[in-house]
Amino acid sequence: MTIKRRKFVKFLGLAGLSSQIPVLSVQAKLYSNTIIKPPRLKVGDTVGLISPAGIIEPQDIEVAKKALLTLGLKVKLGVHILDSYGYLAGKDIDRATDVNAMFGDRSVKAIITMRGGWGCNRILPLINYSLIRSHPKIFMGYSDITSLLLAIYARSGLITFHGPVATSTWNEFSVDYVKRILFNAEVVTMTNTLTTEIGRKIITPGKAKGKLVGGNLSVLSAMLGSSYLPSWQDSILFVEEIGEDIYRVDRMLTQLKNAGILNQIVGFVFGKCTNCSLGDEPSLTLAQVLKDHIQPLGIPAWYGSMIGHIKDKFTVPVGVDVEIDAENGTLRMLETAVR
């Protein structure tokens, strides 16, 4: 029996939120080819903090406030920021409501997620992408937040930011990129520094230009087959990972290959595979896996960019045009990410 959507929402006890829930689905992407740049941050602006994935503790909020106040920003907390539901920071509808509410709140100029974990994929059908498109603002996080970064970009056309979460280490390196990209609207060239232990390795030398798209590899793989992913045609794909055995990285890259994604991209950057291990012997190395999957593509590619679960991290705009140089390991923005 078919239930009309209005009755279905009422049946779930969500009638008051029905204006915030888009039609679910495998529908086509909701935006044209128009890309939206959010307004830049200014000292004195209010930043909204939300927990769309894993649980946080009250002390996490105090740490986040301290870091953001140092940047001259004010803080507004999501209503459900301290909720818990098993390993999730509250029920799906409540976490989604905080996302929608922050985008709809005109006093909030940017939204920063508290942490990753797991849970963002669960709330993608409950996000109001039309509201986001009409109220564009900076949205930033990484790890499990990849789901929201990609879905918001795909469904609304809004450039999002793969960068520090509120509980990250807001050190001099990371803050510098936040300021230059989000406050100053600079066109930045991201280059590794000597302060990192990341070992950069060239997979295939060369330069390439395209739209920068990506995030956490396992989260991205879990989104395949959904309607919340952007076009990969002529894009630069960046990925990062943490705590996975190499065979799992192999499996996820194979999944991207079999889904037809790898043969559409024009460049590839693997950030950091933090605490990734060989697992049970025998095993391929990460270098061998990347060589097997990426080198045959014949596109500029390298491993070891400062992206991922590391203290010193770039703020990476999802959806901007960039040029990568695999030999020198640079990622050069070709346009500003904010206006």
Side-chain angles (χ1 to χ4, degrees), residues 74-334:
K74 300 173 185 176
V75 172
K76 184 168 186 176
L77 305 181
V79 172
H80 301 283
I81 192 168
L82 285 172
D83 285 5
S84 64
Y85 176 61
Y87 40 72
L88 302 169
K91 295 290 187 72
D92 292 350
I93 188 61
D94 292 329
R95 287 179 288 116
T97 296
D98 273 3
V99 175
N100 293 333
M102 286 297 183
F103 271 105
D105 188 334
R106 294 184 182 278
S107 71
V108 172
K109 304 305 179 183
I111 304 166
I112 299 179
T113 53
M114 286 296 297
R115 58 157 295 189
W118 159 249
C120 291
N121 257 0
R122 293 176 54 132
I123 68 173
L124 297 185
L126 305 177
I127 302 302
N128 190 331
Y129 300 99
S130 296
L131 171 69
I132 292 173
R133 185 168 176 80
S134 61
H135 294 77
K137 55 191 68 175
I138 290 166
F139 186 88
M140 185 166 73
Y142 76 105
S143 194
D144 189 66
I145 311 303
T146 293
S147 298
L148 286 167
L149 299 179
L150 293 177
I152 289 171
Y153 169 61
R155 287 301 193 93
S156 71
L158 177 67
I159 287 173
T160 55
F161 298 88
H162 186 280
V165 291
T167 52
S168 287
T169 302
W170 289 74
N171 59 16
E172 184 178 356
F173 182 93
S174 298
V175 168
D176 181 58
Y177 278 92
V178 167
K179 286 182 176 179
R180 292 173 65 193
I181 293 173
L182 301 186
F183 284 76
N184 302 341
E186 293 182 33
V187 176
V188 174
T189 297
M190 302 179 202
T191 309
N192 283 15
T193 68
L194 296 177
T195 61
T196 179
E197 295 178 359
I198 295 176
R200 187 169 61 83
K201 297 179 179 63
I202 301 170
I203 301 171
T204 307
K207 296 181 180 181
K209 294 180 181 180
K211 287 205 178 296
L212 189 61
V213 186
N216 180 264
L217 179 58
S218 58
V219 174
L220 171 55
S221 297
M223 296 176 73
L224 295 183
S226 76
S227 61
Y228 300 104
L229 289 174
S231 168
W232 302 100
Q233 193 63 47
D234 298 328
S235 66
I236 305 290
L237 172 63
F238 74 92
V239 295
E240 60 85 28
E241 195 48 84
I242 182 172
E244 298 285 2
D245 289 346
I246 301 304
Y247 83 89
R248 293 192 180 112
V249 175
D250 185 358
R251 181 176 64 198
M252 290 183 281
L253 288 174
T254 299
Q255 195 174 3
L256 297 188
K257 178 181 178 181
N258 291 343
I261 291 174
L262 296 187
N263 64 11
Q264 296 181 61
I265 63 176
V266 296
F268 177 84
V269 180
F270 200 121
K272 175 67 173 175
C273 206
T274 304
N275 298 330
C276 293
S277 64
L278 297 179
D280 296 333
E281 298 290 350
S283 174
L284 293 172
T285 65
L286 180 59
Q288 287 174 313
V289 168
L290 293 177
K291 182 178 179 180
D292 287 348
H293 289 292
I294 306 302
Q295 206 169 68
L297 301 175
I299 60 175
W302 86 92
Y303 168 87
S305 185
M306 296 172 70
I307 301 170
H309 291 73
I310 50 178
K311 288 184 178 181
D312 296 351
K313 60 170 64 67
F314 298 140
T315 295
V316 184
V318 174
V320 301
D321 286 320
V322 300
E323 180 181 61
I324 62 168
D325 182 335
E327 189 167 0
N328 293 311
T330 58
L331 196 160
R332 181 170 68 92
M333 295 169 60
L334 299 177

